[in-house]
């Protein structure tokens, strides 16, 4: 079996999928306590790095996605598929799992 080398530039989502770079999780609480890795929550904010061509409508045309590359987005907590490329973490999710564009 051949090994596959992936990078962000080689990942092209299909349909209405969005590839998001996960933002770093908080290292310490508001009170100043440092959190161990086991206590950190999965971040729900990230930056869009790649988009699919859009959802196909009944008539065969494509529906354009509402987000664009570079947008910071808030997504559902348990949505998508986690992907690790090198030291960076990403999540591949459907556009419907994106709740809001931040800032």
């Amino acid at each position: 079996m051949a090994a596959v080398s992936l990078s962000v530039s080689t990942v092209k989502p299909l349909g209405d999928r969005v590839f998001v770079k996960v933002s770093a999780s908080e290292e310490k609480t508001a009170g100043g306590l440092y959190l161990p890795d086991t206590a950190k929550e999965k971040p729900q904010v990230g930056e869009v790095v790649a988009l699919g061509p859009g959802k196909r409508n009944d008539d065969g045309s494509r529906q354009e996605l509402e987000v664009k590359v570079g947008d910071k987005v808030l997504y559902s907590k348990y949505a998508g598929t986690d992907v690790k490329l090198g030291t960076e973490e990403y999540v591949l999710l459907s556009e419907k799992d994106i709740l809001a564009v931040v800032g």
Side-chain angles (χ1 to χ4, degrees), residues 4 11 17-18 22 28-29 34 38 51 71 79 85 95 98:
V4 177
V11 175
R17 302 282 194 284
V18 180
V22 177
K28 61 182 180 176
T29 65
Y34 286 92
T38 56
L51 299 170
D71 282 351
L85 300 177
E95 185 185 31
I98 296 176

Side-chain angles (χ1 to χ4, degrees), residues 3 5 17 50 52 56 59 62 65 74 88-89 91 96 102:
S5 176
R17 302 282 194 284
R56 192 169 294 277
D59 64 359
R62 293 269 185 193
L65 298 175
L74 175 68
E88 301 290 332
E89 292 186 22
V91 63
K96 68 180 181 183
V102 180

Side-chain angles (χ1 to χ4, degrees), residues 28-90:
K28 61 182 180 176
T29 65
L33 298 175
Y34 286 92
L35 296 170
D37 289 338
T38 56
K40 293 179 186 173
E41 287 192 27
K42 179 181 171 187
Q44 292 176 264
V45 177
E47 181 180 346
V48 176
V49 294
L51 299 170
K55 184 178 180 179
R56 192 169 294 277
N57 295 325
D58 293 335
D59 64 359
S61 64
R62 293 269 185 193
Q63 180 177 342
E64 191 174 316
L65 298 175
E66 293 185 47
V67 295
K68 60 185 181 303
V69 173
D71 282 351
K72 283 213 176 267
V73 294
L74 175 68
Y75 54 88
S76 298
K77 189 171 201 158
Y78 300 107
T81 302
D82 296 330
V83 178
K84 189 167 186 172
L85 300 177
T87 60
E88 301 290 332
E89 292 186 22
Y90 299 87

